[in-house]
Amino acid sequence: EAGVAQSPRYKIIEKRQSVAFWCNPISGHATLYWYQQILGQGPKLLIQFQNNGVVDDSQLPKDRFSAERLKGVDSTLKIQPAKLEDSAVYLCASSLEMNTEAFFGQGTRLTVV
Amino acid sequence: GDSVTQMEGPVTLSEEAFLTINCTYTATGYPSLFWYVQYPGEGLQLLLKATKADDKGSNKGFEATYRKETTSFHLEKGSVQVSDSAVYFCALSDASGTYKYIFGTGTRLKVLA
């Protein structure tokens, strides 16, 4: 079974630029999560989708971050404009349904300079 | 809100030593509890889980028991190996409706040969 795919693996951008990350969840998984993991900290949920609807985006900085999950499959997370403090690993995860095991991708490491 | 507290690392042990990593949680309702492991350069992998009080999760020689009375889910292994060197994250799945995962800050384990 293929796992959660994320791209790119690494990205370096200058502050105030924009960036987008892509996630392809495990086939058939209805729930998709985006997490931000700052160095030395645990992952923090940014947004959770159930199919193509948003379940929780309470910690998403909506003035600069946006995410979509068209057709309830792939998802894109965008940052515009980026700030230095956005440097982190962005993790995508999916689960068959809510309250079932979440499987994580390898993440995208973003460095903002 | 719900939260997870882990013992701070790094934890350095000799091979074949006994491992305990403490984890306590604060939650409303009855969350599911998880330990995830992150090996260098890799994504998060589920190590074990427990879904109700007094359940014991186990995998690869690791085990943890869901203790509701002490709100704890401590990770233990009787004899660690060099290959166990990684960062370990305790997490809960919020039982209030969205089932989002809330992570602790992680504990780095280094096992010396």
Side-chain angles (χ1 to χ4, degrees), chain B residues 70-83:
Chain B
T70 55
T71 62
S72 66
F73 193 54
H74 303 322
L75 182 68
E76 297 182 336
K77 187 175 185 183
S79 176
V80 293
Q81 305 300 313
V82 173
S83 56

Side-chain angles (χ1 to χ4, degrees), chain B residues 23-68:
Chain B
C23 171
T24 57
Y25 67 91
T26 302
T28 54
Y30 302 96
S32 296
L33 301 174
F34 305 84
W35 277 100
Y36 277 82
V37 59
Q38 189 171 37
Y39 297 102
E42 299 186 16
L44 288 166
Q45 301 174 27
L46 179 66
L47 181 60
L48 53 84
K49 65 180 180 182
T51 58
K52 60 183 187 295
D54 299 325
D55 267 4
K56 178 185 284 189
S58 62
N59 186 26
K60 299 181 181 179
F62 291 89
E63 57 182 35
T65 301
Y66 189 141
R67 302 284 189 201
K68 192 173 188 304

Side-chain angles (χ1 to χ4, degrees), chain A residues 9 33 35 37 40-43 45 48 55-56 58 91 98-102 104-106, chain B residues 32 34 36 38 41-44 46 49 89 93 97-106:
Chain A
R9 286 294 311 279
Y33 312 81
Y35 281 85
Q37 186 178 13
Q41 299 182 18
L45 180 70
Q48 177 181 344
V55 174
D56 188 327
S58 57
L91 297 167
M98 292 193 293
N99 203 31
T100 59
E101 177 185 343
F104 284 78
Q106 290 192 294
Chain B
S32 296
F34 305 84
Y36 277 82
Q38 189 171 37
E42 299 186 16
L44 288 166
L46 179 66
K49 65 180 180 182
F89 292 92
S93 176
T98 64
Y99 299 103
K100 65 186 179 188
Y101 283 66
I102 296 171
F103 287 84
T105 54

Side-chain angles (χ1 to χ4, degrees), chain A residues 1-111:
Chain A
E1 177 180 87
V4 176
Q6 289 188 248
S7 67
R9 286 294 311 279
Y10 306 93
K11 190 74 177 179
I12 301 174
I13 62 172
E14 295 182 349
K15 59 184 179 184
R16 292 186 290 275
Q17 286 188 323
S18 62
V19 65
F21 312 129
W22 173 81
C23 173
N24 184 15
I26 293 173
S27 177
H29 280 198
T31 310
L32 186 145
Y33 312 81
W34 282 103
Y35 281 85
Q36 180 192 57
Q37 186 178 13
I38 293 173
L39 187 64
Q41 299 182 18
K44 181 186 81 172
L45 180 70
L46 293 175
I47 190 166
Q48 177 181 344
F49 292 94
Q50 180 68 10
N51 296 308
N52 60 352
V54 175
V55 174
D56 188 327
D57 64 357
S58 57
Q59 297 191 89
L60 186 74
K62 299 180 185 64
D63 57 333
R64 298 184 301 106
F65 286 64
S66 64
E68 59 182 10
R69 190 184 185 197
L70 299 176
K71 301 181 181 178
V73 183
D74 292 6
S75 178
T76 303
L77 176 69
K78 296 180 182 178
I79 307 175
Q80 182 180 9
K83 293 184 175 181
L84 296 177
E85 59 260 36
D86 298 332
S87 294
V89 176
Y90 290 84
L91 297 167
C92 180
S94 70
S95 60
L96 194 60
E97 290 292 343
M98 292 193 293
N99 203 31
T100 59
E101 177 185 343
F103 294 84
F104 284 78
Q106 290 192 294
T108 296
R109 182 178 298 278
L110 173 68
T111 303

